[in-house]
Amino acid sequence: MSKTPNFGVFNDFWNGFPNHLPFLTLIETPYQPEEWNLTKSIERLDHIVSESSGSQIANGIRLLLKNEDWRPHLVAALAILKIDKDLQFELKSDLWSRLKSGSWVSPQILVILSLIDSEFNLKAREICENGFEISYSEMPMHEHHFARGPAGLSVDNKKVVASVEYLLNGLIIDSRENDNGGSLAKGWKENLFKLIDNKRFKIKE
């Protein structure tokens, strides 16, 4: 990451390695580096959660989500599964706000919302019926591409809708115009559940 923003207790998640990258797919890759991989990323996240109070974690998650870069968003989304239900309830609005402000990892964020937001189906039906509108803040083009991906606003909006279509109705409606949002949501959710079932990714009961 090019800058060093303040992420509170999550500052130490990055130790000179792209520890967020294994969270993008949640699968082990062949010949993965010893220095950073899915196991180490989960361990780093678990260590931060175990050493911090609930309010510290919640504040850190908000800082991660306020950043325009998609990389911290991934860490925030998974960290939410490791905190108490009352804190999840408080933070779900931050996840929805992040989606409205745009995120390249919108499918992953929506998977988390489908798990923690009791009103997800209601909101998802509204998105399927009326579409979705992201409001990106102004940013130089080269920074925009790094932080938000190169797809563009139209594709990013449709990516949210395609992800919701899968999570609500089980429908995969993939195309270049929606960045294959349905398949991304499906694959990530399945990989997350495998990690949970195998007790490799522990969530707050």
Side-chain angles (χ1 to χ4, degrees), residues 15 27 57 64 80 128 147 150 156 160 189:
N15 61 337
I27 57 175
I57 298 165
L64 291 166
I80 284 178
C128 289
D156 291 341
V160 170
K189 183 177 182 180

Side-chain angles (χ1 to χ4, degrees), residues 13-82:
F13 181 79
W14 290 274
N15 61 337
F17 297 107
N19 295 317
H20 59 276
L21 272 183
F23 288 167
L24 190 58
T25 59
L26 296 178
I27 57 175
E28 304 282 8
T29 57
Y31 313 112
Q32 59 186 2
E34 288 186 15
E35 296 85 1
W36 59 275
N37 51 60
L38 181 57
T39 297
K40 286 187 179 293
S41 294
I42 293 173
E43 287 175 351
R44 293 191 74 81
L45 187 60
D46 283 339
H47 178 74
I48 291 169
V49 170
S50 67
E51 295 294 316
S52 308
S53 67
S55 61
Q56 287 176 318
I57 298 165
N59 289 337
I61 288 171
R62 288 192 173 101
L63 291 170
L64 291 166
L65 290 173
K66 283 179 182 176
N67 195 278
E68 294 297 327
D69 196 313
W70 61 267
R71 296 156 182 85
H73 304 166
L74 267 178
V75 181
L78 286 167
I80 284 178
L81 292 181
K82 294 181 173 288

Side-chain angles (χ1 to χ4, degrees), residues 4-5 11 29 32-33 59 84 101 104 114 121-122 143 159 168 193:
T4 309
N11 281 338
T29 57
Q32 59 186 2
N59 289 337
D84 293 331
S101 299
W104 190 60
S114 73
N121 285 0
L122 180 65
E143 292 183 18
K159 186 177 184 178
L168 180 65
F193 275 41

